[in-house]
Amino acid sequence: QVQLVESGGGLVQAGGSLRLSCAASGRTFSNYAMGWFRQAPEKEREFVAAISSSGSITYYGDSVKGRFTISRGNVKNTVYLQMNSLKPEDTAVYYCAAGQYAINLSDAADAWGQGTQVTVSD
């Protein structure tokens, strides 16, 4: 089973940018779809972005489309989430997930990272 560790969270002002990283180890990473989810206080887990194992197909939640970009690293053992034009409502703990298919990652993830806090101030 793949193991995931997120990093890159922090505090930024609205309009700023952050890049989150998810490092994978264990099982072969290249055959896993990867994605990002977030959970804010008093809210349910929200889908942010997902990418297929090949990196050819991506999905984005409506609230982040056009602002966030998910990508796989050059060596395919890291997945990134570039977050631009950040808004206070983006404040949440961001979790990396891995599963067989990007399209059903929300319901069928095989592994989750520990989360990294993103805080966006006005």
Side-chain angles (χ1 to χ4, degrees):
Q1 297 294 318
V2 64
Q3 296 173 314
L4 308 174
V5 179
E6 304 99 331
S7 62
L11 173 65
V12 297
Q13 282 194 1
S17 298
L18 281 174
R19 189 178 75 162
L20 305 183
S21 299
C22 176
S25 62
R27 216 68 172 106
T28 302
F29 180 71
S30 60
N31 70 344
Y32 281 92
M34 304 290 293
W36 292 93
F37 298 80
R38 65 188 183 186
Q39 188 162 20
E42 300 182 351
K43 292 187 177 180
E44 295 182 352
R45 186 187 66 193
E46 179 185 16
F47 171 72
V48 176
I51 188 167
S52 64
S53 60
S54 69
S56 298
I57 304 171
T58 57
Y59 303 90
Y60 294 95
D62 289 341
S63 64
V64 306
K65 196 171 298 182
R67 299 187 298 120
F68 292 9
T69 303
I70 189 170
S71 62
R72 302 190 82 107
N74 291 335
V75 297
K76 306 299 184 183
N77 66 340
T78 305
V79 172
Y80 303 101
L81 183 69
Q82 179 65 47
M83 304 185 294
N84 298 326
S85 302
L86 283 162
K87 306 174 181 179
E89 51 262 45
D90 294 319
T91 296
V93 177
Y94 283 70
Y95 297 92
C96 180
Q100 187 173 10
Y101 304 108
I103 196 167
N104 70 346
L105 189 60
S106 179
D107 296 323
D110 294 319
W112 293 86
Q114 84 287 354
T116 185
Q117 177 70 48
V118 172
T119 302
V120 184
S121 63
D122 281 315

